[in-house]
């Protein structure tokens, strides 16, 4: 390979790998914002559908969602707070929200008397969920500590577990480990430990964001770097291999032709005599130079 082509090849691969590294570092992570500016419908969350009597009054602005809650007794675990309809974006219906694209969640929030707040993802279980029936959706829950001043709390999404009451209602004795994160419908925040029944309390949220590895992008980038490495290997092979000496090859094959005509040596012996690595190599080179197979050449020239 000529020196100029080698230089061009080296520059090309240097640029290609540099661009790959920049793209991988810049776009490997996936990010999403649920609030603010997420565009999702905010709704009042209470336990009324579960037979409870808790109340929640929402105050929504561009930068804050506040729920003034009053937890009262009922047939089920009492709860109240706020929810985000992940299937309604900017007032228009959309499909399921894919939480499986993300690994972690961070929330900037505060509460009044509570020591924790509970986060719930409702996912559409293909077996047990029925469209439009709120209590049939699979609830994945996680409680996090909270203070009476704004602070960011983070959690990996792996901490979200199916609520025990839902498993019991479906006749499941143990958590089956299924989540269906990719079929998320609703995201809810409600009271946790420290909520007092009959005494009003507040939950305020300023930000909800998600992040994680963009797995589809990562797979594509891995494929791209494997392809680049394969091309580099081919380039190196042709760059470092010794060029074939055509004059030497012609000289070897001329000697091979002479031996075929004037001696009864075997093809293997002739290959050794002319310096060919093997009989198959001799046959290929001989055909390349003379345009005839070794056996055919000997038969016609004996």
């Amino acid at each position: 390979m000529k020196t100029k082509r080698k230089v061009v090849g080296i520059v090309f691969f240097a640029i290609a790998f540099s661009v790959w590294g920049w793209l991988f570092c810049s776009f490997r992570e996936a990010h999403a914002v649920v609030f603010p500016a997420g565009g999702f419908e905010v709704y009042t969350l209470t336990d009324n559908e579960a037979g409870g009597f808790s109340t929640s009054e929402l105050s929504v602005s561009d930068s804050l969602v506040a729920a003034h809650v009053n937890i009262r007794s009922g047939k089920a675990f009492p709860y109240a707070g706020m929810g985000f309809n992940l299937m309604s974006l900017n007032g228009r219906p959309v499909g399921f929200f894919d939480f499986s694209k993300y690994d972690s969640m961070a929330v900037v929030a505060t509460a009044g008397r509570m020591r924790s707040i509970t986060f719930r993802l409702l996912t559409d279980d293909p077996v047990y969920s029925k469209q439009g029936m709120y209590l049939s959706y699979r609830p994945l829950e996680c409680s996090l500590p909270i203070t009476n001043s704004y602070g960011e709390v983070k959690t990996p999404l792996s901490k979200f577990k199916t609520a025990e009451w839902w498993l019991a209602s479906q006749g499941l004795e143990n958590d089956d480990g299924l989540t269906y994160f990719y079929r998320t419908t609703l995201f809810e925040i409600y009271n946790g430990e420290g909520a007092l029944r009959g005494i009003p309390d507040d939950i305020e949220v300023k930000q909800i964001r998600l992040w994680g590895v963009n797995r589809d992008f990562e797979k594509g980038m891995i494929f791209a770097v494997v392809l680049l490495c394969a091309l580099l290997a081919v380039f190196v092979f042709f760059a470092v291999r010794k060029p074939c000496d055509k004059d030497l090859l012609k000289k070897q094959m001329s000697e091979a032709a002479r031996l075929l005509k004037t001696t009864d040596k075997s093809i293997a012996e002739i290959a050794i005599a002319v310096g060919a690595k093997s009989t198959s190599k001799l046959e290929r080179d001989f055909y390349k130079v003379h345009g005839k197979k070794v056996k055919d050449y000997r038969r016609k020239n004996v």
Side-chain angles (χ1 to χ4, degrees), residues 41-279:
E41 174 192 0
V42 184
Y43 62 89
T44 300
L45 173 66
T46 68
D47 56 8
N48 296 162
E49 281 201 52
F53 302 96
S54 301
T55 61
S56 176
E57 296 177 4
L58 283 188
S59 174
V60 183
S61 68
D62 291 340
S63 59
L64 179 70
V65 179
H68 184 67
V69 301
N70 196 334
I71 308 304
R72 298 186 173 94
S73 56
K75 294 181 181 179
F77 173 76
Y79 58 86
M82 65 187 73
F84 298 85
N85 183 359
L86 302 181
M87 297 185 70
S88 175
L89 184 63
N90 297 321
R92 297 180 179 181
V94 294
F96 298 122
F97 188 93
D98 189 356
F99 258 81
S100 67
K101 291 181 178 180
Y102 311 99
D103 301 316
S104 303
M105 178 185 73
V107 179
V108 177
T110 184
R113 300 177 179 85
M114 302 177 206
R115 294 189 296 274
S116 70
I117 54 177
T118 304
F119 300 92
R120 174 193 289 165
L121 299 177
L122 291 168
T123 64
D124 185 76
D125 188 306
V127 177
Y128 298 103
S129 299
K130 296 179 178 59
Q131 188 173 8
M133 294 185 64
Y134 175 83
L135 294 178
S136 71
Y137 291 123
R138 178 182 284 262
L140 307 170
E141 298 179 343
C142 174
S143 292
L144 295 175
I146 198 73
T147 65
N148 57 6
S149 60
Y150 283 106
E152 184 178 65
V153 291
K154 299 179 180 179
T155 181
L157 295 182
S158 59
K159 283 193 174 183
F160 280 79
K161 304 297 180 183
T162 303
E164 292 184 3
W165 63 263
W166 186 86
L167 294 171
S169 70
Q170 304 301 332
L172 300 172
E173 294 183 1
N174 300 306
D175 188 351
D176 54 13
L178 301 176
T179 60
Y180 301 105
F181 276 133
Y182 66 97
R183 297 170 65 88
T184 306
T185 60
L186 306 170
F187 177 77
E188 299 177 338
I189 303 174
Y190 60 91
N191 55 290
E193 184 182 1
L196 300 175
R197 296 190 182 190
I199 299 178
D201 209 337
D202 295 284
I203 302 172
E204 296 181 1
V205 177
K206 281 189 172 182
Q207 185 185 75
I208 305 168
R209 61 187 178 90
L210 308 167
W211 73 92
V213 174
N214 187 332
R215 294 174 180 83
D216 292 337
F217 177 79
E218 188 178 55
K219 289 177 182 177
M221 291 301 289
I222 290 173
F223 174 79
V225 76
V226 169
L227 181 60
L228 272 176
C229 289
L231 292 173
L232 178 60
V234 173
F235 171 78
V236 171
F237 171 78
F238 284 105
V240 303
R241 72 168 187 166
K242 294 181 180 179
C244 178
D245 190 333
K246 294 182 179 180
D247 292 335
L248 176 60
L249 182 63
K250 288 181 179 180
K251 185 177 179 180
Q252 288 176 326
M253 294 306 104
S254 296
E255 177 63 13
R258 187 188 70 78
L259 293 174
L260 287 169
K261 289 192 293 184
T262 61
T263 69
D264 57 358
K265 288 183 178 182
S266 66
I267 296 175
E269 290 174 324
I270 294 174
I272 295 172
V274 300
K277 294 181 179 179
S278 64
T279 56

